Amino acid sequence: MSFAGRDASEIEALHTDRYLEALLAQRDLGSSPGPHPRSAAVAGPIAAASTAAGSAPADSGPDETAAVANEGHVDPAIAFAAARLGRDLVRVHPSFRFEERLARRLADIAAAMRLPAAAGAEGSAVPVIPFPFGAESDPAADAFVAPGPAFPRPVLIGGAVASAAISLAGAALVAWRLGRPGADPMTRAIRAAHQLRDATLPARTRLD
Amino acid sequence: MARPVFRRVDGAEEALRRVAHLDADRALVVAARRDPSRFDALYRKYLAQVYNLAYYELGNHHDAEDATERTFVAALAALPRFEERARPAAGEGASTFRVWLFRIARNVVANRRRELRRHPEAPLDAAAAIADPLDIEGGLDRRSDADAAWAAVARLPADRRRAIVLRFVDEMTTAEIAGVLGRSEGAVRVLLHRALRTVARELGAGGR
């Protein structure tokens, strides 16, 4: 780390920061059996000096830590304050009752956050039974039916009924219009000409 | 000789491995994004830390619980928008999720403080929890020390106090604190350095 271009307070702050990192690493080393990932990089000489001096890292008090501070050129007053805060600012844990209550609330929110069903799939799924030959059809009647699936695809019953109804209504309208005399002279003339032409055309050229 | 396309794929995989290695919570975050009910693991991991920040900022268990609950509910709701930004400077074992979560907590706590319009000047009850009930004299000394330390921290300006709590209670690195407070690492170093100087003065460093 280069200190070029920095003023004295920045350099002091850097020393303090390095010292605090070392304290953190020292605490990690003392509290866990294995090396903490962060410790290897920053613990280095200070932790080693501390161990060599016979001080227990986890239990080091303000005085011991202030002694360690000189390794990083830290003001002893700052080292003292850091040690006091490290010791006296205790960690607190919320009550287990609160922990479980909040866990349940989060679980409820998580359940509500799951992807909603696609449009049109809000209701329960209903299996489509092929009509008229379902799985529970009469085996005796099936014997008279050609093999193979009668309706390999799902059937849209409502749509089929609607389209059939429209087709019937259309056929009825055409038949009624053909049999009905025209409302005005021009319509009657056109219809008469059409019938005359149908009657005079050769049979092979007629479409019907 | 490998073709360039293979080199590109190798590079991407290497970058992915590096990010996964850097961000300690990557697997948990990915799982929680796929299935929000898996957020529980992140919640259990960081509950105490978030609670500590809220408790030291707000000064009582009731407000701390409320702020903690708001923080985790907001985090769960915003998890799909979370972006992992692990970088080598953050150091090994760093978690961008932790920084992101603490930013939410910081905002929640700040809002709560604005609502309350008061500062946690009263000594914390936490000091009593660590005192040995059989060592009455030592316990009283310890509590007195803890009260004095907290009183010194509580009188600091908000940013310095927050930096101290994140450093000494939640044991964050300078980079993580910078991420939480939305400041540069240099600014955080100076904040901590000045805060420690003030605390040392308050605690009468050199004597006790």
Side-chain angles (χ1 to χ4, degrees):
Chain A
M1 185 182 301
S2 169
F3 290 155
R6 298 178 191 272
D7 61 23
S9 65
E10 276 182 290
I11 292 169
E12 273 186 47
L14 275 168
H15 281 309
T16 303
D17 184 63
R18 193 179 291 177
Y19 171 67
L20 293 177
E21 288 285 341
L23 275 187
L24 206 58
Q26 195 181 27
R27 190 180 288 189
D28 290 338
L29 281 173
S31 61
S32 63
H36 188 278
R38 200 165 46 210
S39 346
V42 289
I46 294 180
S50 161
T51 309
S55 62
D59 300 328
S60 57
D63 300 332
E64 290 86 353
T65 317
V68 173
N70 291 326
E71 184 75 21
H73 312 286
V74 176
D75 183 348
I78 284 189
F80 175 81
R84 279 289 302 273
L85 294 182
R87 190 193 68 184
D88 292 337
L89 293 187
V90 296
R91 287 179 228 166
V92 289
H93 197 284
S95 68
F96 288 107
R97 195 171 149 195
F98 167 74
E99 181 175 348
E100 293 309 315
R101 184 176 61 77
L102 182 52
R104 279 196 301 275
R105 189 181 171 202
L106 291 171
D108 289 345
I109 294 171
M113 278 175 68
R114 291 210 178 95
L115 285 176
E122 293 85 358
S124 57
V126 178
V128 176
I129 301 169
F131 177 81
F133 306 111
E136 296 174 358
S137 57
D138 184 3
D142 289 347
F144 297 97
V145 179
F151 293 95
R153 296 180 204 168
V155 180
L156 187 63
I157 304 294
V161 170
S163 62
I166 290 169
S167 300
L168 288 172
L173 177 67
V174 169
W176 177 75
R177 286 295 302 268
L178 286 175
R180 179 176 173 269
D184 56 315
M186 182 58 74
T187 305
R188 283 199 298 272
I190 292 170
R191 194 168 290 164
H194 184 70
Q195 286 171 351
L196 182 64
R197 191 189 64 178
D198 284 351
T200 54
L201 278 174
R204 66 175 185 273
T205 60
R206 290 175 61 183
L207 293 175
D208 55 345
Chain B
M1 188 177 127
R3 289 186 296 172
V5 65
F6 292 142
R7 280 204 292 273
R8 277 204 298 275
V9 170
D10 287 348
E13 285 175 355
E14 175 57 33
L16 196 63
R17 266 201 302 274
R18 200 168 60 234
V19 168
H21 179 60
L22 278 171
D23 200 316
D25 293 320
R26 188 163 200 270
L28 293 177
V29 170
V30 169
R33 275 181 155 167
R34 284 191 190 137
D35 178 5
S37 66
R38 303 282 294 276
F39 184 76
D40 187 69
L42 289 163
Y43 161 69
R44 304 275 182 189
K45 184 174 181 181
Y46 289 117
L47 170 67
Q49 292 185 24
V50 169
Y51 184 82
N52 270 299
L53 175 68
Y55 182 58
Y56 273 93
E57 283 288 300
L58 299 169
N60 68 76
H61 288 289
H62 178 74
D63 288 333
E65 285 183 355
D66 186 56
T68 303
E69 183 164 351
R70 284 168 194 252
T71 299
F72 279 103
V73 168
L76 176 58
L79 193 62
R81 296 195 298 274
F82 165 67
E83 285 181 32
E84 184 185 283
R85 288 179 185 149
R87 59 199 174 90
E92 287 187 37
S95 165
T96 50
F97 174 80
R98 180 158 88 139
V99 171
W100 178 77
L101 181 68
F102 269 76
R103 286 183 78 119
I104 295 173
R106 185 201 67 177
N107 290 337
V108 168
V109 165
N111 287 340
R112 185 69 182 146
R113 281 178 70 89
R114 271 196 291 273
E115 285 169 15
L116 295 172
R117 296 282 179 206
R118 64 179 165 79
H119 296 274
E121 293 288 347
L124 295 173
D125 293 333
I130 59 163
D132 182 353
L134 297 178
D135 181 14
I136 296 171
E137 197 175 331
L140 287 175
D141 283 350
R142 193 76 184 273
R143 174 153 196 185
S144 171
D145 284 354
D147 285 352
W150 175 242
V153 173
R155 280 192 286 271
L156 292 170
D159 265 3
R160 291 185 195 180
R161 184 186 61 246
R162 220 163 275 152
I164 288 284
V165 170
L166 291 173
R167 185 67 172 201
F168 288 94
V169 181
D170 288 317
E171 298 192 341
M172 285 190 170
T173 62
T174 306
E176 287 176 311
I177 297 170
V180 173
L181 298 183
R183 288 175 169 246
S184 70
E185 289 182 36
V188 169
R189 282 190 205 105
V190 172
L191 272 181
L192 284 167
H193 180 72
R194 289 180 181 164
L196 284 173
R197 273 216 175 288
T198 310
V199 169
R201 219 171 24 245
E202 295 265 343
L203 294 176
R208 271 204 32 190

